[in-house]
Amino acid sequence: MPLGDPPNYSTPRTLGLALVSMLGALAHFALGAAEYTRIGRYEGLFEMILAGLLLVYGVLTIIRFFEAQDALSDPRPRTPMYATPHEWLTFYVGLGFNVSLALVSLFWGLRGELLPWHALAALINLFGAYLAWQSKPQPD
């Protein structure tokens, strides 16, 4: 990343990724609970656990976004904001959770009774995966 570029966390794309991830997580909580008895207890629980992890990811990402926004106005930064391990971790985890939940949603949508809602949740997650891919840090 060239000197002078904004840190990865401070971009509106990261804010969008966090919000879309939280929205997708809430949709999967609802679908996991609604399909709990139709598809299976363990499958519904698995979806809700993945959704919980995605929700935690979204909350932590939005916190990092606001920390980066605050750090941009700091006249004496204490730590460099470039090339942190968190940037790569945000990319891998965001992409992994969103793609996983999109696949889970499509698979269970075909087995359950709420196909349009599962398809909508899958689209939300695919958009989250796209935002995660777009926020991929540039190698040094």
Side-chain angles (χ1 to χ4, degrees), residues 67-100:
E67 284 178 343
Q69 288 295 316
D70 181 56
L72 286 173
S73 62
D74 191 356
R76 295 184 189 186
R78 290 169 291 286
T79 58
M81 294 190 64
Y82 298 99
T84 64
H86 297 111
E87 287 186 325
W88 281 102
L89 193 58
T90 298
F91 165 67
Y92 289 129
V93 172
L95 190 64
F97 279 147
N98 278 297
V99 168
S100 296

Side-chain angles (χ1 to χ4, degrees), residues 88-140:
W88 281 102
L89 193 58
T90 298
F91 165 67
Y92 289 129
V93 172
L95 190 64
F97 279 147
N98 278 297
V99 168
S100 296
L101 277 168
L103 292 174
V104 164
S105 191
L106 288 176
F107 176 72
W108 290 337
L110 296 174
R111 290 184 51 201
E113 297 176 7
L114 302 173
L115 177 61
W117 295 105
H118 280 286
L120 181 62
L123 285 175
I124 291 170
N125 288 120
L126 289 176
F127 184 60
Y130 170 76
L131 289 174
W133 184 261
Q134 292 297 314
S135 68
K136 179 179 172 182
Q138 301 299 321
D140 293 332

Side-chain angles (χ1 to χ4, degrees), residues 30-40 44 47 108 112-115 118:
L31 288 169
E35 298 276 40
Y36 191 77
T37 57
R38 291 185 195 112
I39 292 177
E47 182 175 15
W108 290 337
E113 297 176 7
L114 302 173
L115 177 61
H118 280 286

Side-chain angles (χ1 to χ4, degrees), residues 9-46:
Y9 279 124
S10 68
T11 61
R13 184 179 300 122
T14 302
L15 177 62
L17 172 61
L19 294 174
V20 167
S21 294
M22 289 189 292
L23 178 65
L26 295 176
H28 284 285
F29 272 131
L31 288 169
E35 298 276 40
Y36 191 77
T37 57
R38 291 185 195 112
I39 292 177
R41 183 170 56 191
Y42 297 113
E43 290 88 351
L45 184 61
F46 176 71

